[in-house]
Amino acid sequence: MCLGFSALALPGIAGAHSFGRMYNLPVPFWLYAYGAAAALLLSFLLVAWFATADAARREPAARDLRSAAWVRGLHRLHLVTGLKGLSVLALLLCLASGFFGNRNPYLNFSMTAFWIVFVLGFAYLTAVIGDLYAAINPWRVIAETIGRVWRGYTRGRVQYPVALGYWPALALYMAFIWIELFGNTRPFSLAVILAAYSVLNLLGVWLVGAAAWFRHCEFFAVFFRLLALMAPLDYAPGRLRLRWPFAGLLEQRADSFGLLLFALFMLSSTAFDGLRMTVPWFKLFWADPFGVIQPLVGSHPIRAYPILRSVYLAWETAWLLLSPFLYLAVYLVFIALAKWSARSPLSLRELALRFGFSMLPIALVYNVTHYYTLILTQGVKILSLLSDPFGWGWNLFGTAQLFRAPILPEMGTVWHTQVGLILFGHIVSVYIAHLEALRTFPTRRAATLSQLPMLALMMVFTTVGLWILAQPIQSGI
């Protein structure tokens, strides 16, 4: 009863990411956990048996697509130039509809276009087609346009401090996730945030230059660049290659702890968002199992909700911001075990950076499993919103009545898809980590021994991920 009251009393929390319908676990959790762990173990044994050091050290095969007829055709159509214009137009439309459109978030173009189509849909697309965002980033396009009339603007005024690394991007990414989870944004507030972020980007370019700002500080650029490492298409100015999926994770490594923490936050923030919707998480604070809160407020925490609401927000904020550091601590423990198992002379820092990107497939599948239903329930409505972006009853393109009803897949289908994706992501991570081990350690035996702790880490992540998915808060109310 107390937990039911807390869920009703905290609508901003209980209703977070509430576009999709909730569902219960159709098969016992322990069955999935044992099956997933067994599949991970089997995949590890297969990789350890068949993967060789020569194959791991060989450059991943890639095919240059620049001379392909269809690529030349797209180049003649100035596709990238057109996409640059569309990205700026989409940003301006989000701002205009947010400031002047309907205040109902479901009737306003900005909310669906930004939170669903861009933050989710474009992220998943990037993991397939590569880092297109680097070419069509609307803030970069605007900055480069200003640079054509303001000579020297994009070169900056001061040299970017090397010590800052990716910390500005991580700080902005943390702020963004906080806004997503706790900001309770509406069209107008989203427009204010986008306007402020636009000003920040233009000031950042003016201060340190476009190259440094969009490399180290603009967090969307860093976010999409990491996702693009998993794409079979490797796109960059002057380069277009077709390669094996996830091969980019072996071509690049984290070059600093700031970038490693950014990658870990991609994982920990999604896990935290799932965890905070579970009954055990609510009990940890509102049931006061350790008797800490009640003596301070003089009553049960639920009865002191008006007083503790801001405290609870601070509590959750602290855990969100600490989450990548906690993941880093766990990760370093297993890396230390791997170092000890392989008797490697390499430093703990070096090994942590070398294996850091092997966590990215897990981060990707976690994000997809938690949020992909939002694309089905709300993302498809972008077609109708394009005809009526301000929510004023327009029908500009004749699509205003399309996909007004959400697509609701069967509960069992959703959960089985999520389990399959989580298992797939962890298997890929095991494979990438093992290939990196074969590159790093001198013998195949040392590489295999080093990956036993990493296999244990993957099993822990798999089990925790499945447990979180199996614990929707509604099932305990």
Side-chain angles (χ1 to χ4, degrees), residues 420-444:
L421 284 170
I422 283 184
L423 183 56
F424 170 75
H426 285 77
I427 290 175
V428 171
S429 288
V430 167
Y431 176 70
I432 295 297
H434 196 86
L435 292 183
E436 185 61 47
L438 289 170
R439 289 179 169 189
T440 299
F441 303 114
T443 67
R444 188 172 181 179

Side-chain angles (χ1 to χ4, degrees), residues 377-389:
T377 56
Q378 182 64 24
V380 295
K381 297 181 182 179
I382 194 65
L383 292 176
S384 61
L385 292 171
L386 281 171
S387 281
D388 188 18

Side-chain angles (χ1 to χ4, degrees), residues 38 68 85 89 192 212 227 229 265 281 289 309 335-336 398 410 431 433 443:
L89 179 62
V192 171
L227 288 176
L229 294 176
F265 190 59
W281 178 260
R309 181 176 184 178
I335 288 293
E410 290 297 320
Y431 176 70
T443 67

Side-chain angles (χ1 to χ4, degrees), residues 33-336:
Y34 287 168
L40 276 177
L41 179 59
L42 177 61
S43 66
F44 171 79
L45 294 175
L46 291 174
V47 171
W49 181 262
F50 288 106
T52 64
D54 290 340
R57 294 190 179 101
R58 193 180 304 131
E59 283 295 323
R63 178 185 174 188
D64 192 336
L65 298 177
R66 288 176 297 175
S67 59
W70 63 273
V71 173
R72 295 199 304 269
L74 292 177
H75 183 71
R76 286 193 295 270
L77 291 174
H78 302 286
L79 177 64
V80 174
T81 301
L83 291 176
K84 287 181 179 180
L86 284 177
S87 71
V88 174
L89 179 62
L91 174 61
L92 295 177
L93 186 56
C94 282
L95 290 169
S97 59
F99 282 125
F100 307 110
N102 196 306
R103 293 297 181 259
N104 185 330
Y106 291 92
L107 300 179
N108 193 295
F109 171 85
S110 64
M111 296 291 287
T112 300
F114 179 75
W115 289 114
I116 309 298
V117 176
F118 176 65
V119 174
L120 298 182
F122 190 77
Y124 306 154
L125 183 65
T126 297
V128 176
I129 68 170
D131 194 12
L132 180 62
Y133 180 78
I136 68 172
N137 181 340
W139 293 289
R140 185 161 200 158
V141 173
I142 294 172
E144 291 174 347
T145 303
I146 295 173
R148 294 190 184 99
V149 296
W150 181 354
R151 183 168 298 179
Y153 166 72
T154 57
R155 290 199 297 267
R157 298 297 175 272
V158 299
Q159 185 174 1
Y160 185 75
V162 177
L164 279 180
Y166 291 93
W167 294 106
L170 177 60
L172 289 171
Y173 187 27
M174 286 180 165
F176 170 76
I177 296 298
W178 188 93
I179 291 170
E180 178 187 5
L181 299 185
F182 307 115
N184 194 26
T185 56
R186 292 294 183 266
F188 185 83
S189 57
L190 176 60
V192 171
I193 293 168
L194 288 176
Y197 189 61
S198 300
V199 172
L200 176 64
N201 277 308
L202 297 179
L203 287 176
V205 171
W206 172 83
L207 182 63
V208 300
W213 180 262
F214 291 110
R215 176 71 184 176
H216 295 100
C217 304
E218 206 274 283
F219 76 92
F220 281 123
V222 178
F223 177 73
F224 289 122
R225 187 163 68 247
L226 292 180
L227 288 176
L229 294 176
M230 296 176 275
L233 281 177
D234 176 25
Y235 173 80
R239 185 176 76 230
L240 181 61
R241 301 184 302 159
L242 181 64
R243 63 190 179 188
W244 287 104
F246 303 99
L249 299 173
L250 294 169
E251 296 176 349
Q252 297 187 35
R253 295 171 180 168
D255 56 13
S256 68
F257 262 85
L259 186 57
L260 176 59
L261 278 167
F262 191 102
L264 289 175
F265 190 59
M266 292 170 63
L267 174 59
S268 69
S269 60
T270 307
F272 173 78
D273 186 30
L275 178 64
R276 62 188 288 265
M277 298 300 293
T278 66
V279 171
W281 178 260
F282 269 72
K283 284 183 176 180
L284 187 61
F285 185 92
W286 294 105
D288 194 18
F290 304 107
V292 175
I293 301 176
Q294 186 165 339
L296 296 176
V297 297
S299 63
H300 193 279
I302 291 298
R303 297 188 180 91
Y305 166 71
I307 300 174
L308 294 176
R309 181 176 184 178
S310 59
V311 176
Y312 186 66
L313 177 60
W315 156 270
E316 290 205 303
T317 298
W319 280 109
L320 172 66
L321 300 182
L322 285 172
S323 65
F325 299 95
L326 295 174
Y327 269 62
L328 177 64
V330 173
Y331 173 69
L332 289 178
V333 168
F334 284 91
I335 288 293

Side-chain angles (χ1 to χ4, degrees), residues 446-470:
T448 301
L449 289 175
S450 75
Q451 290 310 288
L452 292 175
M454 295 299 289
L455 175 64
L457 177 63
M458 301 300 177
M459 287 184 172
V460 169
F461 280 165
T462 300
T463 305
V464 170
L466 292 174
W467 180 84
I468 289 175
L469 285 176

